Amino acid sequence: MCTDKVETSAHIVSQVAEELYLKCIRCGKCLSVCPIYRETRIETMSPRGKVALYRAVGEDDLPEISPVYASKFYTCLMCEACREVCPSGVELDVIMNQVRADLAHCGLLPDSLQRLSDIIVSAGNISDEDNARRLGWTENMASKPVGLDYDGQVEMVYFVGCVSSLFPASYHIPQSLAGILEKAGVSYALMGGEERCCGYPLLLNGESELALEMAQHNVEAARVTGAPQVVMSCPSCYHMWKHTYPEILGDDVLDGLEILHETEMLAGLARAGRLRFKPWPVTVTYHDSCDLGRKSDIFDAPREVLRAIPELELVEMADHRAHSLCCGGGGNLETYNRELAQALPLRRLRQAEEAGASTIVVSCQQCKRTLAGAARREKIRIRVIDLAEVVAEQIEEEPHA
Amino acid sequence: MLDPKIVAELESIVGEQYTLTTPEDLVAYSYDATFTSAKPDLIVLPSNTQQVSEVLKVANREVIPVVARGMGSGLAAGSIPFGGGIVMALTRMDRLLEIDRDNMMATAEAGIIASELAAAVAREGYLYPPDATSDSYSTLGGNIACNAGGARCLKYGITGHYVMALEVVLADGRIMRLGGKATKNVTGYDLVHLIVGSEGTLAVVTEATVRFIAAPETERMAQAFFPKLADAGLAINAVLASGANPSMIEIMDETAIKSVEEFLHMGLPLDIEAILLIQTDGDEADATRGIEIAAEICRQKGANQVQVATTAQERKDMWLARGSISGSLGRIRPNKLGEDVTVPHSAIPEMIARIKEISIKHNLPIVIFGHAGDGNLHPNILFDKRDPEESHRVEAAVGDLFQASVGVGGSLSGEHGVGVLKKPYLELALGPVAVEMQKRIKQAWDPNNILNPGKIFD
Ligand SMILES: Cc1cc2nc3c(=O)[nH]c(=O)nc-3n(C[C@H](O)[C@H](O)[C@H](O)COP(=O)(O)OP(=O)(O)OC[C@H]3O[C@@H](n4cnc5c(N)ncnc54)[C@H](O)[C@@H]3O)c2cc1C
Ligand code: SF4
Ligand code: SF4
């Protein structure tokens, strides 16, 4: 146990956080949206429970910061659904981030998460592969993406992200996006082995200094390409770049660089008439990922693209937009508690069924993995597809003039 | 601390995973939505009635207190284990067991989230009317134990009016079924409705059958802004006495409006003293006629602006403000004591005036909002628990509120229950004979006093 660190942490709690927890009136509203609580129905793992634990440390009501205490904070998707509904304005995200940072500082990061951090730091990616293998997804393509050897001025650099780069089941997403860019006549660059993990998993582990190193490297590498825009298909990379990089590296770090998520880029292309779609007579629902929707406030761009597809019917699930239900793939929970993480997507699949959708469109490779994996395990007949894949499938060969 | 042998016995009943004893768990099960707390010795999360029964047998044998708990959204400190012992959280017993369309009744385990039951009924095209504001974070069992009511209860009644049958477990572990699906039943005492509102002191509810009704075809909503709070009170009375037949009249006073506006930035006017939110339902013609009557009355009684929602989205937006008040008050002061005194319709204006006097007298902000149409005014005293002098004034103010309510013919609690917070005032409201009779009932059902001891009365 970490008794000497109790002081450190209690100190932090009493210094800055009293106003964080005192705002909690314990109404319980956050329980109604927390995916973990909805699954376990155990208060200790609920958002209100976490605030109470945090408070108990601040008020010396817990004897020590123990691994059990830590486990409650790692049993969290960092999805921020709780903060979104809290009528009292409790900044649960600030509390969770602070506690995770304290825990890492105390040496209480669980082994599985410590391993993840070590891998990212040594390999530059989350799957312990040679970082030069980042272009593995391009290998089985009919023609090599032009972004591989771009020259001269390009419109954008595509930051592929670890999962899409290195997990074969996700290759189809970057392949689709590269194909769309080429068909729409957009020039772009790929960073290959120069791309590193965006740093988000490190931040979730409470290790912001390590995340900062990743951030610095990535921004520099992107600048080398000379592209004025950086586009990503991963909402977590996007949120890191767009919101966290300026926080940890300074406001001007992105000067001259526009950060775009694939959904914004696709909506822009559709609006500019650079994409034209074949009809797709399917009832789809759109799943807002936490990092893109609730945390980055991008709700309309993906829906705009879907509405541009003729004959497609878009229906909403019970929990949508800012109140979207996390797929279960957030917060490094999958690394920390795989069994629980795998139980979570089922509720989301049921919501899609109840909405009458046969297809769930996502704009996140992690949501796709999580939801599609659960659909397969539970034998639920519902298709999960990334927006880039939808567009690649439905795009007319001849783009508009 | 419980004897390790007993802990082991409990573990063997509900499983080790669902017998919680870590210091962290004890913290998490020490509170409800009030500002008080006390830790249990242990928490069990049973998954079926048999386990509930087995746990109670052990507790009764060893004379260990057992506090039933739903989602801990209670506002009377009812599920807080002041005497330690076992907290029995029913949350894992959350299965919907049956929707019986022929009899228009649904059966579910006690731990089901109330709004999930209502949603399941709605999916079949019907309405389960009880609609506590907290219905997405409270359980059916908790709603029954507190006889919860919501905005709609003005027209449709409260939880108890819908409970047809119960499965309960007695203090000694015996399982008992009460009531049934027959809509008229005078076979002996009405024990179903003795359990309703009993706050976990007579038995643990494990399953319930509730009635549902045909959903009204449509709803209409209006929002009226009153420069004077007293006028809003008079308007409520006038609307109730008219033929508008509202399904809901909710009030928000000045402080509530400011607090919620700060939270949501909806553009509510900040120079008025009250908003009334009125809803009618039924078929198109009835709902429309009703809302028009109500809107006209509000104008006559001094509203400077009355809006009638024309779309479902507008109705939702109007309701959003009301639904967010309770929580948003934490932004003003860290603690609030939400009372739910309920007075007869005729006394609503008088009670509003008295609440404001009490606020001034004790120099404490008191916010009024809630289901005003049924006289349930929800005065909330805002304060800071860390200031002992202020806490003292709160106690005095609460006493005055109860005096005032009883004085105009009202009750101590419309929906939250007595718990421990209203215990000292029970005799004031009921008189000594009724309290004595209630205690005798408790003794008959729970001779060892293990079920939520110290709640309602000592
Ligand atoms: C923001 C907010 C708004 C609210 N709005 C309303 C409202 O509109 N209307 C209203 O009526 N209430 C309201 N409440 C109060 C509260 O939500 C209700 O009293 C609710 O019924 C409590 O349910 P619970 O599951 O949270 O029970 P808990 O708080 O866990 O327990 C409440 C009481 O019920 C007993 N109990 C719980 N489950 C069982 C069981 N299975 N068997 C026997 N006893 C049991 C407990 O022992 C305790 O005495 C509100 C609360 C909050 C915080
Ligand atoms: S919603 Fe906010 S105030 Fe209510 S219990 Fe959760 S954190 Fe506390
Ligand atoms: S961030 Fe998400 S998973 Fe974590 S406590 Fe809040 S709602 Fe639950």
Side-chain angles (χ1 to χ4, degrees):
Chain A
M1 315 271 155
C2 184
T3 36
D4 57 323
K5 301 290 173 21
V6 171
E7 270 162 35
T8 327
S9 193
H11 182 66
I12 295 170
V13 170
S14 54
Q15 264 209 337
V16 273
E18 199 183 57
E19 79 274 5
L20 282 179
Y21 66 69
L22 277 184
K23 268 197 202 159
C24 175
I25 50 162
R26 310 198 283 209
C27 64
K29 187 164 189 183
C30 50
L31 273 60
S32 68
V33 296
C34 174
I36 307 259
Y37 178 80
R38 284 160 96 175
E39 178 63 26
T40 62
R41 303 294 308 275
I42 296 179
E43 178 81 26
T44 324
M45 299 193 211
S46 73
R48 178 174 61 176
K50 290 177 170 74
V51 179
L53 295 181
Y54 179 70
R55 174 179 190 154
V57 169
E59 295 181 346
D60 278 337
D61 194 25
L62 270 179
E64 64 199 343
I65 295 190
S66 68
V68 175
Y69 177 83
S71 72
K72 306 307 172 197
F73 285 90
Y74 293 117
T75 308
C76 173
L77 299 159
M78 307 289 263
C79 73
E80 297 186 17
C82 48
R83 196 219 50 198
E84 185 69 29
V85 297
C86 174
S88 198
V90 178
E91 293 168 292
L92 289 115
D93 52 326
V94 177
I95 295 180
M96 315 291 193
N97 280 317
Q98 196 186 87
V99 171
R100 285 195 181 204
D102 282 356
L103 292 172
H105 193 76
C106 291
L108 280 173
L109 195 63
D111 291 344
S112 56
L113 294 177
Q114 183 64 57
R115 221 161 22 244
L116 178 65
S117 284
D118 294 345
I119 287 171
I120 294 173
V121 170
S122 66
N125 61 65
I126 60 169
S127 57
D128 208 10
E129 289 210 44
D130 178 355
N131 211 41
R133 287 266 315 122
R134 272 193 182 264
L135 290 169
W137 59 273
T138 63
E139 279 162 17
N140 66 348
M141 290 174 75
S143 59
K144 291 284 160 247
V146 296
L148 277 180
D149 29 36
Y150 65 99
D151 61 346
Q153 182 64 32
V154 288
E155 288 180 60
M156 58 182 66
V157 48
Y158 175 26
F159 189 89
V160 185
C162 294
V163 175
S164 292
S165 300
L166 298 163
F167 289 48
S170 302
Y171 285 175
H172 196 238
I173 295 174
Q175 290 174 352
S176 300
L177 199 68
I180 296 165
L181 292 174
E182 286 166 27
K183 281 191 190 138
V186 179
S187 61
Y188 70 100
L190 291 165
M191 285 158 58
E194 280 307 301
E195 181 182 318
R196 289 197 191 150
C197 168
C198 68
Y200 191 50
L202 296 168
L203 199 74
L204 290 175
N205 276 355
E207 297 173 307
S208 53
E209 305 91 46
L210 299 178
L212 186 129
E213 286 169 29
M214 297 286 156
Q216 253 160 353
H217 171 89
N218 282 327
V219 175
E220 278 162 28
R223 285 204 184 278
V224 169
T225 67
Q229 291 184 326
V230 189
V231 67
M232 21 225 129
S233 39
C234 170
S236 306
C237 297
Y238 171 79
H239 184 262
M240 257 326 252
W241 271 81
K242 178 118 182 172
H243 301 284
T244 313
Y245 283 10
E247 269 169 34
I248 58 180
L249 296 175
D251 283 342
D252 54 353
V253 65
L254 298 177
D255 280 357
L257 278 183
E258 191 188 358
I259 312 301
L260 284 177
H261 184 258
E262 85 183 12
T263 51
E264 296 176 291
M265 184 200 65
L266 293 171
L269 289 176
R271 229 176 284 143
R274 290 169 83 176
L275 297 176
R276 212 173 45 177
F277 298 111
K278 295 182 282 204
W280 196 34
V282 181
T283 305
V284 309
T285 187
Y286 175 72
H287 165 78
D288 294 281
S289 73
C290 308
D291 289 331
L292 190 69
R294 195 150 46 232
K295 296 192 206 170
S296 303
D297 221 20
I298 296 184
F299 302 108
D300 294 323
R303 290 176 169 83
E304 191 183 329
V305 175
L306 290 171
R307 289 208 183 89
I309 300 176
E311 294 179 29
L312 177 150
E313 192 196 352
L314 179 63
V315 293
E316 296 289 359
M317 289 181 268
D319 298 323
H320 61 280
R321 293 181 71 99
H323 298 292
S324 180
L325 177 63
C326 177
C327 67
N332 294 350
L333 183 70
E334 203 186 355
T335 308
Y336 179 66
N337 184 343
R338 193 180 165 79
E339 198 189 338
L340 177 58
Q342 288 200 339
L344 300 175
L346 187 58
R347 186 180 302 271
R348 192 55 166 165
L349 294 173
R350 295 268 180 254
Q351 288 192 349
E353 284 185 323
E354 275 162 22
S358 64
T359 300
I360 305 177
V361 177
V362 298
S363 49
C364 170
Q365 75 296 326
Q366 177 70 346
C367 297
K368 184 182 169 188
R369 278 185 60 231
T370 320
L371 293 170
R376 212 177 313 116
R377 279 193 308 278
E378 305 288 341
K379 303 200 169 44
I380 293 176
R381 289 171 62 90
I382 200 153
R383 185 176 181 210
V384 185
I385 182 170
D386 191 272
L387 187 70
E389 297 173 294
V390 172
V391 170
E393 267 179 31
Q394 295 313 121
I395 199 168
E396 288 275 24
E397 286 305 320
E398 281 301 301
H400 253 334
Chain B
M1 272 293 281
L2 291 185
D3 182 338
K5 271 197 288 209
I6 295 170
V7 176
E9 200 176 349
L10 294 170
E11 281 174 350
S12 73
I13 297 168
V14 294
E16 231 172 280
Q17 197 188 347
Y18 299 115
T19 311
L20 314 180
T21 53
T22 69
E24 286 76 12
D25 292 312
L26 304 187
V27 166
Y29 285 90
S30 68
Y31 51 76
D32 64 0
T34 63
F35 55 89
T36 47
S37 60
K39 286 181 202 164
D41 293 308
L42 174 148
I43 302 103
V44 289
L45 291 131
S47 66
N48 58 48
T49 305
Q50 203 54 45
Q51 291 182 356
V52 172
S53 160
E54 296 301 321
V55 170
L56 281 167
K57 279 180 196 161
V58 174
N60 198 42
R61 186 190 74 212
E62 305 291 335
V63 195
I64 302 167
V66 176
V67 181
R69 186 183 194 270
M71 280 171 86
S73 72
L75 288 170
S79 63
I80 299 180
F82 289 101
I86 299 170
V87 159
M88 178 184 278
L90 279 299
T91 45
R92 290 183 58 242
M93 292 179 57
D94 63 350
R95 279 173 305 171
L96 177 68
L97 300 172
E98 183 193 55
I99 297 225
D100 173 354
R101 294 168 128 256
D102 292 337
N103 287 308
M104 301 201 19
M105 286 175 201
T107 302
E109 290 180 331
I112 193 171
I113 297 176
S115 66
E116 290 190 357
L117 173 72
V121 170
R123 274 197 293 277
E124 301 286 323
Y126 296 98
L127 176 72
Y128 173 64
D131 60 340
T133 314
S134 55
D135 64 358
S136 64
Y137 42 102
S138 61
T139 61
L140 176 62
N143 282 190
I144 291 171
C146 298
N147 202 358
R152 270 198 213 103
C153 73
L154 175 62
K155 181 169 176 182
Y156 293 102
I158 52 184
T159 302
H161 294 134
Y162 293 86
V163 180
M164 298 298 299
L166 293 173
E167 179 191 72
V168 302
V169 183
L170 300 177
D172 61 12
R174 279 181 295 168
I175 300 168
M176 177 166 74
R177 287 194 167 268
L178 299 171
K181 288 184 179 174
T183 50
K184 298 168 85 179
N185 190 342
V186 225
T187 325
Y189 294 148
D190 184 355
L191 296 184
V192 169
H193 292 94
L194 176 61
I195 296 298
V196 171
S198 65
E199 303 184 40
T201 61
L202 296 181
V204 175
V205 177
T206 48
E207 193 187 297
T209 298
V210 295
R211 210 157 55 76
F212 50 78
I213 62 174
E217 202 175 285
T218 187
E219 289 174 342
R220 288 283 175 278
M221 193 179 276
Q223 174 172 271
F225 298 152
F226 286 88
K228 289 268 156 280
L229 178 62
D231 290 344
L234 294 171
I236 294 172
N237 245 342
V239 172
L240 288 171
S242 74
N245 196 14
S247 54
M248 165 182 125
I249 304 180
E250 300 279 306
I251 193 168
M252 290 177 247
D253 78 354
E254 202 177 348
T255 319
I257 298 168
K258 288 213 171 90
S259 173
V260 86
E261 177 60 25
E262 217 169 274
F263 173 37
L264 295 172
H265 309 291
M266 306 178 67
L268 297 173
L270 296 173
D271 56 349
I272 52 173
E273 284 184 6
I275 296 179
L276 287 187
L277 206 58
I278 302 172
Q279 183 171 287
T280 57
D281 65 9
D283 63 24
E284 197 74 42
D286 266 356
T288 307
R289 189 184 52 88
I291 207 71
E292 276 163 11
I293 295 174
E296 186 47 37
I297 292 174
C298 289
R299 282 188 206 101
Q300 282 167 12
K301 294 289 172 189
N304 63 3
Q305 203 187 333
V306 182
Q307 298 162 344
V308 176
T310 47
T311 63
Q313 188 57 43
E314 276 176 39
R315 287 209 302 276
K316 236 172 137 178
D317 290 346
M318 285 181 181
W319 181 249
L320 182 66
R322 162 63 188 93
S324 309
I325 299 168
S326 188
S328 73
L329 295 174
R331 291 162 187 260
I332 302 180
R333 308 285 275 156
N335 303 105
K336 76 178 161 76
L337 184 61
E339 287 309 342
D340 66 322
V341 290
T342 305
V343 299
H345 291 169
S346 57
I348 294 170
E350 167 75 17
M351 188 64 194
I352 289 177
R354 292 207 191 182
I355 293 170
K356 288 296 157 186
E357 279 164 28
I358 294 168
S359 168
I360 293 165
K361 176 176 162 200
H362 296 281
N363 188 23
L364 285 164
I366 304 186
V367 194
I368 300 175
F369 69 94
H371 326 311
D374 53 14
N376 195 342
L377 291 171
H378 282 271
N380 270 258
I381 309 175
L382 309 183
F383 68 108
D384 189 338
K385 188 182 153 189
R386 291 166 302 176
D387 178 346
E389 191 269 334
E390 197 165 279
S391 300
H392 214 73
R393 272 186 282 136
V394 171
E395 270 170 48
V398 168
D400 285 358
L401 277 177
F402 291 149
Q403 292 279 4
S405 176
V406 173
V408 299
S411 72
L412 295 186
S413 171
E415 54 184 31
H416 301 157
V418 176
V420 289
L421 301 182
K422 301 185 191 86
K423 219 161 57 167
Y425 307 96
L426 196 68
E427 207 164 292
L428 167 75
L430 301 180
V433 181
V435 172
E436 165 66 16
M437 291 313 292
Q438 295 210 8
K439 285 185 176 172
R440 285 210 211 164
I441 292 174
K442 166 74 175 168
Q443 276 152 14
W445 283 65
D446 177 21
N448 288 336
N449 195 23
I450 62 158
L451 287 176
N452 212 358
K455 303 297 160 61
I456 309 181
F457 35 65
D458 287 313

